[in-house]
Amino acid sequence: MTADAEQAGAPEAISKRGAARVLRPALGLLLPVALALFWEIAVRMGLSNGRLVPPPSVIWNTFTDLAATGELARHALATLWRVAWGFAFGVMAGTIFGAITGYSALTHRVVDPTLQALRSIPSIAWVPLFILWFGIFEASKIILIAVGVFFPVYLGVMGAVMSVDRKIVEVGRVFRLSGPAMVRRILLPAVMPSYVIALRAGLGLGWMFVVAAEFLGASTGLGFLLIDGQQLGKPAQIVAAIVAFAILGKTTDWLIVLIASPFLRWEDRFARH
Amino acid sequence: MLVLDRVGKTYPNGVRALDGISLAVAPGEILVVIGGSGCGKSTMLRTISGLDPPTQGRVVLDGTVITAPREEIGIVFQEPRLLPWLRVADNVGFGLAEYPKAERRTRVAGALDRVGLTEKARVWPRELSGGQAQRVAIARALVPRPQVLLLDEPFSALDAFTRADLQDHLLDLWADLKPTLVMVTHDVDEAIVLADRIMVMRAQPGRVYEEIPCELPRPRDRQSAAFDFVKRRVLAALDRSLDRAVAMAEEVEPRAAAGGGLWW
């Protein structure tokens, strides 16, 4: 009997596991979908007019309308372009400064206090100055984003380089690695996991700062859509722009994880997700 | 021939870790260094490796003064210290970056075969047991074919069975390749199983206290009377070396106490 039960049970167990693989990520969708459905039904039943908080169907229509006219793509691309440049500059500067201050105690003592002091300034406070210095067009926006990206990357890289295990570095010394070889074969791989986290934190701040930058006089960009929606009383457009931000933010973050994952397969991690 | 010529090590804070260590280790000899904690045995090993050159005297290998790590001198630490981002085979071949790829591959395969881990070549270090990881570390140190292999309490973190297993393994490797072995341990049995000669060190500052030849035929039987005889000799020497240290500490203390007494 047991043999029969096992034979019958095996394919069932496999399909159950397959179903679990599909269903488990879907669990995360449960709450937002339920909330959206609830609001849609509430507005349809006339419990609310939905004017200030548009129901999902209206947001969807606005979103598709914006997409159909090409407006959405135009604004999204403008924003993406700014974030890309700001992120690139911020990451470059953060990596170089972080690596040097992490590696050299003297540079750390000279440079780090100043950078930490600058970090404590709310970055939006720079905006008026940046506009005076770099004008109201792209340069000041990109620089603001770069400043936002710089600090988490700087801190992450510096901390990672400083905490590389001395014992592992000693292995490099035993095998007589030269300076560049030590960096390439020991330090770089050792800081990789923290570096990816720093990049993700930096990218998150980049998306935050692009909104701030676009609030301050832009004629394109998702941030402009937000302001435009507020001034013309179009809440659905605001929510549609917010959704676009969410999609772009999540996608770019996922891209970093995807690109980094082949370099991090060695990690001995607690979580496997 | 590995020669230490009045080697001393004083740290920048004034602590003297080693004082006037002179010794010669013949090619292919197994020297085991034993002593209480803090007697400078690890420090001595690090001066030989070139990682921490001595502040007095010199370490000479076949006429060359050692001031920095060299290919002829391999070292295995207490921890395996494998690079977690490299698979086992790449860890073993880590010191062969300058060799042609084919040469590297055959040497790595040979070393993995020697330590019995051929089937683990493509595995990440995190997937190894403690004993396996230490075997990989030994393979990594042996792959550049060093004349001298230094071992700094390499088996102290392992359980008794694995330790005995790796001691046998190490002897097999030594029988094949005949490198000079200098091993630091605090395990008397381990010292007697492996050594041609046992050097007992004394602390504060680290000095050679006594050298005990250990010429039992291999493989050595831990239960034999001869083994026991050597063991008693080593234990007695260790005891005396520790007593001396205690006596010296007591000799210093009354003076310190008298000095401290002024405060009261």
Side-chain angles (χ1 to χ4, degrees), chain A residues 170 173 185 265-267, chain B residues 46 51 81 84 94 126:
Chain A
E170 215 164 72
R173 287 187 56 209
R185 301 184 64 196
R265 265 186 305 162
W266 53 271
E267 266 191 301
Chain B
R46 292 176 63 88
L51 283 169
R81 300 198 188 180
F94 188 77
R126 64 159 191 264

Side-chain angles (χ1 to χ4, degrees), chain B residues 69-114:
Chain B
R70 298 180 65 86
E71 190 170 26
E72 302 85 68
I73 304 178
I75 184 163
V76 175
F77 299 98
Q78 187 173 351
E79 326 80 19
R81 300 198 188 180
L82 303 181
L83 305 176
W85 53 85
L86 295 179
R87 291 175 195 272
V88 164
D90 296 326
N91 262 293
V92 172
F94 188 77
L96 301 180
E98 282 145 37
Y99 287 76
K101 206 171 180 182
E103 167 85 5
R104 196 160 68 214
R105 199 173 298 159
T106 47
R107 281 213 199 183
V108 168
L112 278 174
D113 185 44
R114 274 181 198 287

Side-chain angles (χ1 to χ4, degrees), chain A residues 210-243:
Chain A
V210 79
V211 179
E214 288 177 348
F215 275 5
L216 305 151
S219 52
T220 54
L222 294 173
F224 164 79
L225 276 188
L226 295 174
I227 291 285
D228 187 58
Q230 180 215 331
Q231 284 166 351
L232 302 181
K234 297 189 283 190
Q237 181 182 317
I238 297 179
V239 182
I242 288 174
V243 170

